[in-house]
Amino acid sequence: TIQVGATTNRGEADRLAARFQAFHPRVESAEVPGTGRVFRVRLGSFATREEASKYLSDVTRETGAKEPYVASAH
């Protein structure tokens, strides 16, 4: 999975997801100790970290995003 951002505000997460609409983003909610509820904007589901990293390069190139990263690989 690639994470393009996270925020404690659902509206901000939805706006960020809209920026990445072409990549079919999803907003995932999680409880983070010491922070509370966080809304993570994520893209894709990949079998390997290598696949996710390649997709991350494409996302970065096409959007100019500076902070996305590979959050996990299944």
Side-chain angles (χ1 to χ4, degrees):
T1 300
I2 294 172
Q3 183 165 306
V4 294
T7 178
T8 57
N9 181 289
R10 177 62 194 235
E12 283 182 40
D14 290 339
R15 284 188 290 281
L16 181 58
R19 282 187 50 209
F20 292 90
Q21 185 175 7
F23 297 94
H24 310 288
R26 63 188 177 280
V27 176
E28 298 177 354
S29 173
E31 286 294 325
V32 176
T35 301
R37 184 167 303 281
V38 174
F39 300 94
R40 298 170 174 154
V41 181
R42 293 185 165 181
L43 312 175
S45 180
F46 306 93
T48 67
R49 184 167 287 279
E50 181 179 282
E51 288 177 16
S53 293
K54 181 179 179 331
Y55 192 77
L56 174 61
S57 295
D58 294 342
V59 169
T60 302
R61 183 183 65 253
E62 291 182 31
T63 67
K66 306 261 188 272
E67 298 183 30
Y69 66 94
V70 176
S72 62
H74 300 286

